[in-house]
Amino acid sequence: MNSYSIIEQFSYLGLFFLLILGGLGVPFFPEDLILIACGVLISVGIIKPVPAILISYAGLILSDFMLYWAGRKFGRKIVTNQRFEKILSPAKFLIIEKKFRRHSTLIMLLGRLLIGFRTQVFLLSGITKVSMTKFLVIDSFGSAVVLSIMITAGYLGGKFLESVQKGMLYMEYIVGFLIVVAIILIIIYLSYKYMTKSNNHTS
């Protein structure tokens, strides 16, 4: 069962938990694709826009905060933990940490906007003890931007597919009409040829 069908079947609850799983880096549930799927489902009327957007926003911020809290609680121990080593290895941590301490605001904002850096940046925010208020303010802004872009993309994509389907239906009607017109014209032409031949023979 893919993300689209889970959201379709379980509606808002499925959307919320998928975003939590995606935000925590669980494979097969990428955040961006879930948000795009949300936009598509809004466009076809399966879910309503206001609750879907609010739930998606809450899911993004909660999953980000869980990573921040894990980094803040476990500190540098998290870097040597086997469960998190694939996400944030000691080597990556040393490289990012120096830049992070100088440009924490910019890196946190880019971490939310760029795919592939979110988990590491949020863990690092907690490990380096960025204030909770600063983290939530920056993450709230970044999440709003990502949410707007991805859901809008999904919505427009859904409307485009819908218009293509309608367009194909119209094309079937047009082609059918043209075939009927062509048959009528052929019948008229053949009748005309038959009548002219008949007139030639009688003359």
Side-chain angles (χ1 to χ4, degrees):
M1 185 179 289
N2 56 32
S3 300
Y4 187 95
S5 61
I6 290 173
I7 298 170
E8 188 175 9
Q9 184 173 349
F10 299 104
S11 189
Y12 307 109
L13 187 63
L15 175 63
F16 181 76
F17 281 109
L18 280 176
L19 285 170
I20 295 294
L21 293 174
L24 295 176
V26 177
F28 311 114
F29 299 111
E31 272 184 355
D32 297 317
L33 290 182
I34 294 166
L35 292 173
I36 290 171
C38 176
V40 172
L41 292 173
I42 290 172
S43 73
V44 297
I46 293 176
I47 55 178
K48 295 181 180 179
V50 174
I53 290 169
L54 291 176
I55 287 169
S56 298
Y57 191 54
L60 290 179
I61 293 176
L62 181 58
S63 62
D64 295 347
F65 183 76
M66 288 169 71
L67 290 168
Y68 166 82
W69 179 84
R72 193 176 181 90
K73 181 176 178 62
F74 299 107
R76 295 174 182 271
K77 293 178 182 178
I78 207 167
V79 181
T80 57
N81 190 294
Q82 291 182 349
R83 294 180 181 179
F84 294 95
E85 196 171 23
K86 292 181 181 179
I87 299 172
L88 187 63
S89 65
K92 282 184 179 179
F93 178 79
L94 291 174
I95 294 171
I96 300 173
E97 185 182 18
K98 291 181 181 179
K99 295 181 180 180
F100 188 85
R101 290 190 181 278
R102 293 179 182 176
H103 311 286
S104 60
T105 301
L106 179 61
I107 292 175
M108 279 193 290
L109 184 60
L110 291 176
R112 199 343 114 202
L113 300 177
L114 297 177
I115 301 170
F117 292 98
R118 295 169 188 168
T119 307
Q120 294 95 318
V121 168
F122 298 147
L123 283 173
L124 191 59
S125 301
I127 293 170
T128 56
K129 298 293 190 293
V130 171
S131 75
M132 191 179 299
T133 303
K134 180 178 180 179
F135 174 81
L136 288 174
V137 168
I138 294 170
D139 188 56
S140 297
F141 175 76
S143 295
V145 173
V146 171
L147 186 76
S148 302
I149 294 171
M150 295 303 168
I151 288 185
T152 301
Y155 181 84
L156 295 176
K159 287 297 181 185
F160 175 75
L161 291 175
E162 189 178 1
S163 66
V164 168
Q165 289 174 347
K166 288 181 180 177
M168 290 176 68
L169 184 62
Y170 294 147
M171 284 299 296
E172 289 177 4
Y173 289 147
I174 293 169
V175 170
F177 174 74
L178 291 175
I179 290 172
V180 171
V181 170
I183 291 171
I184 293 171
L185 292 174
I186 291 169
I187 291 171
I188 292 171
Y189 174 74
L190 293 175
S191 299
Y192 174 77
K193 285 196 72 175
Y194 176 77
M195 291 296 293
T196 52
K197 283 185 180 180
S198 300
N199 290 335
N200 289 334
H201 286 304
T202 53
S203 61

